[in-house]
């Protein structure tokens, strides 16, 4: 058996991690978020091979905007970062380097919890602590906002904050999305969202306790 691969990171603690393989070169990579910096590690070389620093250009002052979620597309040429502020950034990448920022997605008002690319059409779905999931096209435009709901609160209480903790596409073209949402306490709900041909928006068609 081969020895375990150990990559030292010093005192840095990883917040999010993605392991992926380039389908063309077959090289294996690991992306790890350390706050505002995301390092890419070459598994064969066992060392850093590229770094992304989150840069919220819309902020009035530059301050830390930690990355909480990561995703890589099926072709391994795009990396998406979801941040604490709600900002999403998408970067171009290759085996040689992590290059320019392609576009930013702005709309979430709280921490992004999860990101996932569709296999085809380069759509991106995001989930956040603002109670919504969003589908973005390959230029960063929001195609649809999906507001998640959970159990109704008692009559004498205000509605709880809904956290959308996970998301993914359930088909190749990104026309069916899945979300997992819950309040801070209570049951979690899995919802299936279907894109509507007439409007392009996504509508919840199945919702069940998970």
């Amino acid at each position: 058996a081969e020895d375990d691969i150990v990559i030292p990171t010093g005192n840095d603690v990883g917040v999010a991690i993605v392991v992926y393989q380039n389908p063309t070169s077959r090289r294996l990579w690991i992306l790890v978020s350390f706050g505002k910096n995301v390092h890419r590690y070459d598994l064969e070389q066992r060392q850093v091979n590229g770094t992304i620093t989150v840069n919220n250009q819309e902020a009035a002052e530059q301050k830390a905007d930690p990355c909480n979620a990561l995703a890589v597309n099926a072709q391994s040429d795009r990396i998406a970062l979801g941040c604490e502020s709600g900002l999403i950034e998408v970067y171009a990448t290759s085996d040689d380097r992590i290059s320019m920022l392609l576009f930013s997605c702005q709309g979430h008002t709280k921490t992004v919890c999860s990101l996932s690319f569709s296999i085809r059409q380069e759509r991106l779905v995001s989930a956040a602590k603002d109670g919504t999931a969003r589908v973005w096209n390959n230029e960063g435009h929001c195609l649809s906002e999906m507001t998640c709901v959970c159990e109704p609160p008692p009559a004498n209480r205000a509605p709880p904050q809904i956290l959308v903790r996970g998301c993914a596409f359930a088909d190749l073209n990104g026309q069916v999305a899945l979300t997992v949402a819950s309040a801070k306490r209570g049951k979690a709900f899995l919802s299936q969202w279907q894109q509507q041909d007439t409007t392009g928006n996504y509508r919840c068609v199945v919702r069940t306790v998970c």
Side-chain angles (χ1 to χ4, degrees):
E2 296 182 359
D3 294 335
D4 292 338
I5 295 176
V6 178
I7 301 175
T9 61
N11 294 324
D12 293 327
V13 177
V15 177
I17 183 170
V18 171
V19 180
Y20 70 97
Q21 184 177 44
N22 186 315
T24 303
S25 67
R26 312 303 293 174
R27 291 179 69 178
L28 285 167
W29 304 91
I30 295 181
L31 286 176
V32 186
S33 166
F34 301 104
K36 193 170 182 177
N37 294 316
V38 176
H39 295 322
R40 183 177 72 167
Y41 295 90
D42 184 331
L43 273 183
E44 182 178 346
Q45 300 295 326
R46 305 187 185 191
Q47 62 184 14
V48 175
N49 184 290
T51 298
I52 301 172
T53 299
V54 177
N55 179 21
N56 187 352
Q57 298 177 349
E58 300 298 323
E61 58 183 16
Q62 293 297 321
K63 57 184 178 180
D65 188 10
C67 171
N68 293 276
L70 296 166
V72 180
N73 68 345
Q75 293 75 33
S76 298
D77 60 8
R78 289 192 176 192
I79 295 172
L81 282 60
C83 304
E84 192 171 285
S85 68
L87 174 73
I88 299 169
E89 293 186 336
V90 177
Y91 290 81
T93 187
S94 67
D95 283 353
D96 296 328
R97 62 175 181 167
I98 299 174
S99 55
M100 63 179 179
L101 173 67
L102 295 176
F103 54 83
S104 297
C105 304
Q106 303 203 29
H108 286 299
T109 59
K110 293 185 178 180
T111 302
V112 177
C113 300
S114 180
L115 295 165
S116 183
F117 282 99
S118 62
I119 300 298
R120 299 173 184 162
Q121 295 190 9
E122 293 296 344
R123 291 185 178 181
L124 178 69
V125 61
S126 58
K129 291 184 178 180
D130 60 8
T132 70
R134 290 173 178 257
V135 175
W136 314 84
N137 68 7
N138 59 5
E139 296 179 344
H141 300 301
C142 183
L143 299 177
S144 184
E145 178 182 346
M146 299 169 284
T147 300
C148 298
V149 297
C150 293
E151 294 178 302
N156 58 345
R157 293 186 183 180
Q161 177 185 352
I162 303 300
L163 311 176
V164 191
R165 303 176 186 272
C167 61
F169 286 110
D171 67 330
L172 295 178
N173 295 318
Q175 296 176 331
V176 181
L178 302 174
T179 60
V180 175
S182 71
K184 291 184 178 180
R185 296 181 180 179
K187 297 177 182 178
F189 290 85
L190 172 66
S191 298
Q192 177 178 315
W193 305 79
Q194 178 75 48
Q195 185 179 22
Q196 305 301 296
D197 293 335
T198 55
T199 65
N201 290 323
Y202 288 69
R203 181 175 64 88
C204 183
V205 293
V206 178
R207 178 171 168 268
T208 185
V209 175
C210 63

